[in-house]
Amino acid sequence: HYFIQSNLRMLNVRHCLKNGTKLLRQLSSISTEGLDVRTHNDGKVLILSLRNEGRMNCMTEKIASEFKTVVNEINRDYPSALCLILTGHGNSFAAGADLNWLEERTKTRSEKNVEIMKDYYNYFSGLASLPIPSIAAINGPAIGAGFCISMFCDIRITSKDSKLGANFVKLGISPGMGGTFTIPLKVPNQVAWELLLTGKVMSGEEAKEKGLVLSCVDTKNLVLPEALSLADKIVSGSPLAIKETTALLRHSSEQLLKDQLVMEAEAQGRCFSGIDIQIGLQAIKNKKMPKF
């Protein structure tokens, strides 16, 4: 059972920010196959870590299923939680969807893939309708769908040595996981077009310059302490006011996001039936640039 609670206290946030490695040791927990679930500050902060060791936390169906269950049951299983932090295990945030799973999509008929992709998006999109605010602590590569789930969060924090990007077109597929909705909300329209049409991968510093992240710390080990510090400030407020403010800020975009996810699934369903996705997947396996 992955609903694990270990009440973790920070006695001196300022000291921990100076020593990120020490803080990560303090936040050690029992892990499941796909996720780490921890609490902090008397249960007011929930820390959810994607976990797929040796594969840069790529987002398998196992992780997706566990993720949906945790996010959908936050009110029931973590009634004290007022803020969620999403991060990745080890030195990666999330390297996107499992390539083997993507390869299977090229062998499935388009209509079936549309439904599969809708379900896959729904596993993660609950982040965008949480009753509490969320922070993405991007502690390493956040690529493709991995970058897009960070965009479901309300606030993003990363490091100078992290890499971020929605590289779908380089894979031979149109963007998914809400990227065509969330990215244009965060940056000027033409910047979103550049990122999504070129598949550009940015440093943490460039992401900060473009307004995609709130702050960019020096190294990966300082990302989670920075996120915890911000979460502590958030949860020091009125619980009711935090939830009401979150609901008000989310209200205008929730239905629009759902509609866009359907359109993305339909577009990706068509892409999976083409030759470009096969070229892109083969190029990744061979560690070469694709030639479409």
Short mmCIF file of all heavy atoms in Angstrom, two decimals, residues 170-172 274-284 289-292:
data_model
loop_
_atom_site.label_atom_id
_atom_site.label_comp_id
_atom_site.label_asym_id
_atom_site.label_seq_id
_atom_site.Cartn_x
_atom_site.Cartn_y
_atom_site.Cartn_z
N LYS A 170 10.22 16.28 -32.31
CA LYS A 170 11.45 15.56 -32.62
C LYS A 170 11.24 14.05 -32.57
O LYS A 170 12.06 13.28 -33.07
CB LYS A 170 12.54 15.97 -31.63
CG LYS A 170 12.97 17.43 -31.73
CD LYS A 170 13.65 17.70 -33.05
CE LYS A 170 14.10 19.15 -33.18
NZ LYS A 170 15.15 19.51 -32.22
N LEU A 171 10.15 13.64 -31.96
CA LEU A 171 9.81 12.23 -31.87
C LEU A 171 8.87 11.81 -32.99
O LEU A 171 8.58 10.63 -33.16
CB LEU A 171 9.15 11.94 -30.51
CG LEU A 171 8.95 10.51 -30.07
CD1 LEU A 171 10.29 9.78 -29.98
CD2 LEU A 171 8.25 10.47 -28.72
N GLY A 172 8.38 12.78 -33.75
CA GLY A 172 7.46 12.47 -34.83
C GLY A 172 6.01 12.42 -34.40
O GLY A 172 5.19 11.71 -35.01
N GLY A 274 1.17 7.07 -38.44
CA GLY A 274 2.09 7.50 -39.49
C GLY A 274 3.48 6.90 -39.33
O GLY A 274 3.79 6.21 -38.35
N ILE A 275 4.34 7.21 -40.29
CA ILE A 275 5.70 6.67 -40.29
C ILE A 275 6.64 7.50 -39.42
O ILE A 275 7.65 6.99 -38.92
CB ILE A 275 6.25 6.60 -41.74
CG1 ILE A 275 7.58 5.83 -41.79
CG2 ILE A 275 6.41 8.00 -42.31
CD1 ILE A 275 7.46 4.37 -41.44
N ASP A 276 6.33 8.79 -39.20
CA ASP A 276 7.27 9.67 -38.51
C ASP A 276 7.57 9.22 -37.08
O ASP A 276 8.71 9.31 -36.62
CB ASP A 276 6.73 11.10 -38.48
CG ASP A 276 6.81 11.77 -39.85
OD1 ASP A 276 7.45 11.18 -40.74
OD2 ASP A 276 6.23 12.86 -40.01
N ILE A 277 6.56 8.74 -36.37
CA ILE A 277 6.78 8.29 -34.99
C ILE A 277 7.73 7.11 -34.95
O ILE A 277 8.57 6.99 -34.06
CB ILE A 277 5.44 7.95 -34.29
CG1 ILE A 277 5.65 7.48 -32.86
CG2 ILE A 277 4.67 6.90 -35.07
CD1 ILE A 277 6.17 8.51 -31.92
N GLN A 278 7.67 6.24 -35.95
CA GLN A 278 8.58 5.10 -36.01
C GLN A 278 10.01 5.56 -36.27
O GLN A 278 10.96 5.04 -35.69
CB GLN A 278 8.11 4.13 -37.09
CG GLN A 278 6.73 3.55 -36.83
CD GLN A 278 6.28 2.60 -37.92
OE1 GLN A 278 7.06 1.81 -38.44
NE2 GLN A 278 5.00 2.68 -38.29
N ILE A 279 10.14 6.57 -37.14
CA ILE A 279 11.47 7.14 -37.41
C ILE A 279 12.02 7.78 -36.14
O ILE A 279 13.20 7.61 -35.80
CB ILE A 279 11.37 8.18 -38.55
CG1 ILE A 279 11.00 7.50 -39.87
CG2 ILE A 279 12.69 8.95 -38.69
CD1 ILE A 279 10.70 8.47 -41.00
N GLY A 280 11.17 8.52 -35.44
CA GLY A 280 11.61 9.19 -34.22
C GLY A 280 12.04 8.23 -33.13
O GLY A 280 13.07 8.43 -32.47
N LEU A 281 11.25 7.19 -32.92
CA LEU A 281 11.59 6.20 -31.90
C LEU A 281 12.89 5.48 -32.24
O LEU A 281 13.73 5.23 -31.36
CB LEU A 281 10.45 5.19 -31.75
CG LEU A 281 9.18 5.70 -31.06
CD1 LEU A 281 8.05 4.68 -31.21
CD2 LEU A 281 9.43 5.98 -29.59
N GLN A 282 13.08 5.14 -33.50
CA GLN A 282 14.30 4.46 -33.91
C GLN A 282 15.51 5.35 -33.73
O GLN A 282 16.57 4.90 -33.32
CB GLN A 282 14.19 4.01 -35.38
CG GLN A 282 15.29 3.06 -35.81
CD GLN A 282 15.28 1.76 -35.03
OE1 GLN A 282 14.24 1.17 -34.79
NE2 GLN A 282 16.45 1.30 -34.61
N ALA A 283 15.34 6.65 -34.00
CA ALA A 283 16.45 7.59 -33.83
C ALA A 283 16.87 7.69 -32.37
O ALA A 283 18.07 7.75 -32.06
CB ALA A 283 16.03 8.98 -34.36
N ILE A 284 15.90 7.69 -31.46
CA ILE A 284 16.22 7.74 -30.03
C ILE A 284 16.99 6.49 -29.62
O ILE A 284 17.98 6.55 -28.89
CB ILE A 284 14.94 7.89 -29.20
CG1 ILE A 284 14.37 9.29 -29.35
CG2 ILE A 284 15.21 7.60 -27.72
CD1 ILE A 284 13.09 9.53 -28.61
N MET A 289 19.96 11.98 -34.50
CA MET A 289 18.92 12.92 -34.84
C MET A 289 18.01 12.28 -35.87
O MET A 289 18.48 11.66 -36.84
CB MET A 289 19.51 14.21 -35.40
CG MET A 289 20.20 15.07 -34.35
SD MET A 289 19.05 15.71 -33.12
CE MET A 289 18.08 16.83 -34.13
N PRO A 290 16.69 12.41 -35.72
CA PRO A 290 15.78 11.81 -36.71
C PRO A 290 15.82 12.56 -38.03
O PRO A 290 16.03 13.76 -38.08
CB PRO A 290 14.41 11.95 -36.04
CG PRO A 290 14.55 13.13 -35.15
CD PRO A 290 15.96 13.10 -34.65
N LYS A 291 15.62 11.83 -39.13
CA LYS A 291 15.52 12.44 -40.47
C LYS A 291 14.15 12.09 -41.02
O LYS A 291 13.94 10.98 -41.52
CB LYS A 291 16.64 11.90 -41.37
CG LYS A 291 18.03 12.32 -40.93
CD LYS A 291 19.10 11.81 -41.90
CE LYS A 291 20.50 12.27 -41.46
NZ LYS A 291 21.55 11.80 -42.39
N PHE A 292 13.23 13.05 -40.89
CA PHE A 292 11.85 12.80 -41.32
C PHE A 292 11.71 13.05 -42.82
O PHE A 292 12.40 13.87 -43.39
CB PHE A 292 10.90 13.72 -40.55
CG PHE A 292 10.90 13.45 -39.07
CD1 PHE A 292 11.37 14.40 -38.19
CD2 PHE A 292 10.44 12.24 -38.56
CE1 PHE A 292 11.36 14.18 -36.82
CE2 PHE A 292 10.43 12.00 -37.20
CZ PHE A 292 10.91 12.97 -36.32
#
